[in-house]
Amino acid sequence: MANKLKITLVKSTIGAKPKQKLTAQALGLTKLHKTVEQKDNAAIRGMINRISHLVKVEEM
């Protein structure tokens, strides 16, 4: 596994379930096409799994 993940919000959270919106906010994804770098661990992977249809993930 890589040390960091580059996560980009590619689909809007409008119309998403409230838990999915909160998960995106917790990852630091507040606006469309915003990219954040997060450490690669089980908690972050679980969050990405919950909103996988809204984000694009690249390993760094």
Side-chain angles (χ1 to χ4, degrees), residues 1 5 9 13-14 24 31 46 49:
M1 293 174 104
L5 295 172
L9 186 65
T13 57
I14 295 173
K31 294 185 177 183
N49 190 33

Side-chain angles (χ1 to χ4, degrees), residues 3-57:
N3 289 336
K4 291 213 173 203
L5 295 172
K6 191 175 181 181
I7 308 164
T8 305
L9 186 65
V10 294
K11 189 174 176 194
S12 176
T13 57
I14 295 173
K17 295 179 182 177
K19 281 189 175 184
Q20 293 171 345
K21 289 182 184 183
L22 292 173
T23 302
Q25 286 179 353
L27 285 170
L29 301 170
T30 55
K31 294 185 177 183
L32 199 57
H33 301 293
K34 182 171 182 178
T35 301
V36 295
E37 290 182 12
Q38 296 283 351
K39 290 183 180 180
D40 187 5
N41 59 38
I44 298 296
R45 289 282 181 164
M47 294 169 84
I48 291 169
N49 190 33
R50 182 178 288 266
I51 59 169
S52 62
H53 60 288
L54 302 175
V55 297
K56 181 177 86 171
V57 180

